[in-house]
Amino acid sequence: MTARKFEALNAPPDALEKGGIEILRASVVDGAVSIALRRAFDDPFTWGVLLVDLARHAARVYAMETDLSEEEALAEIVSGIQAELDNPSDPGSSQAVN
């Protein structure tokens, strides 16, 4: 069996220029999401703001790379979030690593 290569994203240009702390890394491994994160914020509310920002970025990428508009993609993302909140497909587990 040959080893698979991990395809990492590049760090954002402003983080390379100004420095920063990575707070979230998400990967797809064998069809499932694998996440590493650090708490990073004093108030969990800020994670909500970050998650919405991520959803908007993802919707823009879908709009650039598919036939979906940004609004259609965001609506689908929001539907997925609500469905997962209502009925989690995998509650998973977490442990502090960093």
Side-chain angles (χ1 to χ4, degrees):
M1 174 184 243
T2 56
R4 295 186 214 164
K5 181 182 175 191
F6 178 72
E7 295 180 35
L9 294 172
N10 293 323
D14 59 340
L16 291 174
E17 179 183 324
K18 299 175 185 177
I21 298 169
E22 185 172 50
I23 62 169
L24 175 66
R25 183 172 285 214
S27 303
V28 177
V29 180
D30 294 330
V33 177
S34 180
I35 295 173
L37 68 85
R38 66 181 75 189
R39 183 175 53 88
F41 308 113
D42 290 333
D43 185 353
F45 180 92
T46 307
W47 275 101
V49 174
L50 178 132
L51 294 172
V52 170
D53 193 34
L54 287 171
R56 287 189 175 126
H57 281 284
R60 284 185 211 113
V61 171
Y62 272 95
M64 289 187 289
E65 297 181 356
T66 72
D67 291 334
L68 291 173
S69 70
E70 185 176 332
E71 293 76 19
E72 291 168 326
L74 185 58
E76 285 296 308
I77 292 167
V78 170
S79 292
I81 291 169
Q82 192 59 59
E84 190 64 19
L85 286 170
D86 292 344
N87 186 21
S89 58
D90 179 10
S93 63
S94 297
Q95 59 184 354
V97 177
N98 290 321

